Amino acid sequence: MKALVVNCTLKKSPEPSDTAALAQVVGDWLAENEGVEVEYVRAVDLDIHPGVVSEAVAAGDDWPAVHAKLLQAQILVVASPTWLGRPSSVAQRVLERMDAMLSETDDEDRPVAYNRVAGVVVTGNEDGAHHLISEINGALCDIGSTIPGQSWTYWHLGPGPGPDYLDDGRGHDWAHKTGRAMAANLYGTARALAASPLGAPPQ
């Protein structure tokens, strides 16, 4: 089984990313406990052009390679920081490009996101994690992904400015425990769908 973690931080590599660090907790559990092959993509490192198509918008558009990875993975984790109580602009661009998957089907006329599971990781210093989880999971559900119960984790220290995840250990125990539960739920649901996949929607 394969998992893809799309980190939508605004920080380019190799700058440390709070969002990457928390998403790694989920990925490590999948890899170490269930042998899942986990791949990480930091979207801001790529040249992802604006648009709502899966093919390249223009020369140099890196989205088609990410789209191919989405189709190879049974588990998707979208990780985003909180800015102004909203998902990052990078997360919005990723979701806009995934919009094209609404009209893509496999050889059995199923939407290509069917029988794939998805979850969300959020970091940030202002309260708003549940809002981000709702927005991102809602978009992934629209596309056709299966969203298991408690398929998210987040970390923040309340409203207003404050320390970063990597600089402050407070709240880590809860966020990591929730992240491990998230990983287990994603894997269990993905395994169930593999054994009994959804068919094409009725016409």
Side-chain angles (χ1 to χ4, degrees):
M1 189 174 292
K2 293 185 178 181
L4 178 67
V5 178
V6 181
N7 178 11
C8 298
T9 179
L10 301 182
K11 300 172 181 176
K12 289 196 171 186
S13 300
E15 188 175 356
S17 162
D18 297 325
T19 308
L22 184 53
Q24 185 86 41
V25 173
V26 179
D28 284 350
W29 191 95
L30 289 168
E32 294 168 8
N33 291 274
E34 301 296 351
V36 176
E37 181 182 333
V38 183
E39 183 172 1
Y40 297 85
V41 169
R42 191 179 291 206
V44 74
D45 289 342
L46 306 175
D47 189 3
I48 298 175
H49 292 207
V52 289
V53 296
S54 293
E55 61 270 17
V57 173
D61 184 5
D62 289 327
W63 180 255
V66 180
H67 178 258
K69 294 178 191 296
L70 289 169
L71 298 183
Q72 293 165 3
Q74 293 76 44
I75 298 171
L76 169 65
V77 174
V78 176
S80 175
T82 311
W83 293 113
L84 297 173
R86 309 283 298 179
S88 73
S89 57
V90 176
Q92 183 62 31
R93 179 158 297 185
V94 166
L95 292 172
E96 285 171 350
R97 294 302 296 265
M98 289 182 70
D99 181 84
M101 296 170 69
L102 282 163
S103 59
E104 297 172 8
T105 56
D106 64 15
D107 293 339
E108 298 181 32
D109 290 327
R110 294 175 298 197
V112 292
Y114 269 33
N115 300 307
R116 305 177 196 279
V117 301
V120 181
V121 170
V122 174
T123 57
N125 287 320
E126 60 263 12
D127 195 358
H130 281 286
H131 173 70
L132 267 68
I133 291 164
S134 297
E135 282 206 353
I136 297 172
N137 267 343
L140 296 171
C141 183
D142 277 353
I143 293 164
S145 302
T146 296
I147 311 298
Q150 210 274 280
S151 58
W152 48 262
T153 190
Y154 67 87
W155 178 90
H156 70 77
L157 289 181
D164 292 333
Y165 170 88
L166 288 172
D167 298 329
D168 194 309
R170 289 178 293 170
H172 283 206
D173 287 347
W174 181 88
H176 291 185
K177 179 181 177 181
T178 308
R180 293 189 292 270
M182 166 188 176
N185 291 347
L186 288 169
Y187 178 78
T189 305
R191 186 175 58 184
L193 287 170
S196 183
L198 299 170
Q203 299 298 315

